[in-house]
Amino acid sequence: MSELNPISLIAAKRDGRTLSGAELKGLIDAYTHGTVPDYQMSAFLMAAYLNGLSAAEAAALTDAMLASGTHIDLSGVPGTKVGKHSTGGVGDKVSPILVPLVASCGVPVAKLSGRGLGHTGGTLDKLEAIPGFRTDLSVEQYREQVTSLGGVISGQTGEVAPADKKLYGLRDVTATVESIPLIAASIMSKKLAEGNDALVLDVKCGRGAFMKTEADARCLAETLVTIAARHDTPGVAVLTNMDVPLGRAVGNWPEIREVIECLRGEHAESALMQVVYRLAGEMIALGGAAETPAEGIAAARAAIERGEALERFRCLVAAQGGEVSVLDAPDTRPHSAPVADVPVPAGAEGRVVDLDAYAIGEAAMRLGAGRQAKEESVDPVAGLSGLKKPGDAVSPGDVLARLHTGGAPNLTAVKERVQRAYSFADSVPPPAPAVYARHTQAGWTSL
Ligand code: URA
């Protein structure tokens, strides 16, 4: 390409023109190496946000961001490796259940995860609530663990998609996060670098998700699967409900406690486990250990019932330096400060008909479970547990949720926020489905 002129690329996007792959690659390379400054990239991002990117542009942007760093080579690891990504939500503790579960069914899973930001949680923060658990594995340790154990969950090293790291930080402060092609390129530049042979994508839809409407969630799912296919990576996207929090705990240690319960076979029919089983079924089928997703689901249920998934989680925690004894006796987890445990009482009689995931995510953040800016640390024990969910009956004085914190937030304000997140009625409509539909290159199937 002739010498890069960022001003003409910004103007082209501002005027709704389509950029070539070479132009986008030039721009991303120059930004990654610091020759295009943040102020020009910010203008470009806003133009892309407002005018959109074509499918070819989104794919080219992904390629450029992927090429900015290492592509982890797992070709020496036996088996079909299957990755998983969630677009993020409130109470989304699926990965720490799913990775050991799928691994215990014979399909290796290598996963790079992220941290929570704003009202959403992140898998790394959750796992680090287990004392000693390390998420800063080297590429060699990551490769070794997926070979020996069939499962690994680590943080994105600086070598993977550095362009995304820089761009995401800029999008966060320039109001350009909520763009389907920018989100798709960001996700896929990391997922394609993980080294897996196939991908399952949990695209969350609803109040607590990036994608608030089904139409947007479907569009993101299609974009992700198309980009994966261009990289010869079979992908399945599953559309799942994020109007209400997933599970009954939100926050890092509270969610790990729920993970342990799920792996022990408790909550088997919950919305959380419906999501886990659907994703597990797809992954087990993609990995070749089942003929169909339905057979994969049956294999996953059996692995939970036989305790094999819990045993694999125990091995994963031990391999990554975590204190395994707290999995057997969660009450023995040492805390560095006294932990408040405050009930939120119900004020009326009736049935829960709705619970606003966004409000609960915000309440967890105020308790110290999340961060407003990337550099902030989190309080591992902070969050909510025992959430009443749609369909549950309550009487005055019953506990809607318990608040936990090791800090000093305004607990009265958080309590009120949680109470306002609930809606009650005398009778309940049928529960909303946990899983809506699946999408592959062949099209959509309702579930
Ligand atoms: N998750 C990502 O990795 N990137 C985005 O842009 C949004 C969610």
Side-chain angles (χ1 to χ4, degrees), residues 11 66 109 161 167 179 189-190 196 220 239 244 252 281 295 304 314 322 359 367 377 383 387 394-396 405 441:
L66 173 63
V109 188
L167 277 168
S179 147
S189 65
K190 290 172 292 213
N196 289 301
L220 178 60
L239 222 62
V244 297
N252 299 308
E295 282 181 23
I304 293 270
R314 212 184 278 280
L367 290 167
S377 58
L387 285 167
V394 292
S395 302
T405 181
Q441 277 287 90

Side-chain angles (χ1 to χ4, degrees), residues 65 85-88 114 156 164 168 171 176-191 210-211 220:
M65 287 160 65
H85 183 77
S86 156
T87 56
Q156 179 186 353
D164 175 61
Y168 196 89
R171 286 168 58 212
T176 51
V177 169
E178 294 91 348
S179 147
I180 290 173
L182 294 180
I183 291 176
S186 165
I187 291 174
M188 294 309 284
S189 65
K190 290 172 292 213
K191 287 292 116 183
F210 275 120
M211 299 295 114
L220 178 60

